[in-house]
Each structure stands twice: as C-alpha cells, then as structure tokens.
C-alpha cells in the first residue's frame, strides 16, 4: 500500500537513518542523497513520488535544489517537503514561499513526518 519511492536528501547520517528507517517500516521504498546536487540528479533519474529535502547541505542548499527541481519538467510536479532545524516563524514562511509543499522541523517527529508524507502523497495533485 505505502510502497511509493521517496528520495531523502540529508547530509546528517543520524537524521538520514531515522527518516529512512521510519519510512521503510511503513513500507515505503527509499533512495538517499547526501548533497543537493546528487539529490537533483537522482530525482531526475528515478522520479520519486516525493522528496524530503534538508535545507542546510554541503554545496547547494535545499532551497537551490528546489529551484533546480522546479526548473526541470521531469521533476517539476514532484512534491517536496523541507526538513529544517529552524523553528522561526519567518524562516518557515520563507521556506514555504520558496515553493515547498510541506515543512518538517528538527528534531524530527517521526509520527508527524509520516503523517505529512501520507497527506501530501494522497493529495490529488500528487497522483500520476
Ligand atoms: Mn543538513
């Protein structure tokens, strides 16, 4: 049922493991990238159903990766959830204004993350 492919872009190994394990337990397939550049490339090649995007990354930021993904017709419709340590309201607004489809704060709440993932995957616009 929950077997969609999800791309995780995250440079912190502990966060990556937490997110990947949580998704896999629920039946999702996952692929991962440690940089925005690799994430953009993998998203184009594998066309995941959803992308979880860390904001602070080595190389290009998660926001720049989002812009590149939106500029590519292949990945333009893919929903992207931002994962960020910032809890500031204005930062959250800035991230959503950049064009992300959802927001997950750090420390990561697995329950909240899984709910957000399911909610966005179930939106009619996310269907192929
Ligand atoms: Mn990071």
């Amino acid at each position: 049922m929950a077997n969609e492919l999800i791309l995780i872009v995250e440079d912190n190994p502990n966060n990556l493991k937490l997110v990947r394990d949580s998704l896999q337990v629920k039946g999702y397939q996952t692929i991962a990238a440690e940089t925005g550049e690799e994430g953009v490339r993998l998203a184009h090649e594998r066309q995941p159903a959803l992308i979880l995007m860390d904001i602070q990354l080595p190389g290009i930021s998660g926001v720049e990766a989002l812009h590149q993904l939106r500029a590519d017709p292949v990945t333009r419709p893919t929903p992207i959830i931002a994962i960020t340590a910032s809890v500031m309201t204005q930062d959250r607004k800035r991230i959503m204004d950049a064009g992300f489809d959802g927001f997950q704060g750090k420390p990561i709440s697995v329950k909240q993350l899984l709910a957000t993932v399911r909610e966005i995957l179930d939106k009619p616009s996310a269907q192929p």
Side-chain angles (χ1 to χ4, degrees), residues 46-62:
R46 304 287 301 276
Q47 300 180 35
L50 179 100
I51 300 170
L52 298 172
M53 181 71 73
D54 185 22
I55 296 299
Q56 300 208 332
L57 293 163
I60 64 170
S61 71

Side-chain angles (χ1 to χ4, degrees), residues 9-12 15 54-58 83 106:
V9 185
E10 170 64 80
D11 64 312
N12 179 297
N15 284 335
D54 185 22
I55 296 299
Q56 300 208 332
L57 293 163
I83 300 181
K106 290 182 184 178

Side-chain angles (χ1 to χ4, degrees), residues 45-97:
E45 284 180 10
R46 304 287 301 276
Q47 300 180 35
L50 179 100
I51 300 170
L52 298 172
M53 181 71 73
D54 185 22
I55 296 299
Q56 300 208 332
L57 293 163
I60 64 170
S61 71
V63 174
E64 174 57 27
L66 169 84
H67 292 320
Q68 293 187 15
L69 291 163
R70 292 295 188 241
D72 178 350
V74 173
T75 52
R76 183 172 299 148
T78 310
I80 307 175
I81 298 173
I83 300 181
T84 175
S86 178
V87 292
M88 305 281 286
T89 306
Q90 65 264 36
D91 287 346
R92 178 175 175 152
K93 182 179 185 311
R94 183 177 57 80
I95 285 163
M96 294 307 288
D97 285 350

Side-chain angles (χ1 to χ4, degrees), residues 1-8 23 27-31 39 42-53 69-70 74-81 101-102 116-128:
M1 185 178 153
N3 62 349
E4 292 98 336
L5 179 65
I6 298 180
L7 168 62
I8 308 159
L23 291 170
Y28 296 104
Q29 302 175 59
T30 65
I31 47 177
L42 264 183
H44 181 90
E45 284 180 10
R46 304 287 301 276
Q47 300 180 35
L50 179 100
I51 300 170
L52 298 172
M53 181 71 73
L69 291 163
R70 292 295 188 241
V74 173
T75 52
R76 183 172 299 148
T78 310
I80 307 175
I81 298 173
D101 299 277
T116 303
V117 164
R118 198 62 250 164
E119 181 188 331
I120 290 179
L121 284 173
D122 287 341
K123 274 188 190 170
S125 59
Q127 301 302 316

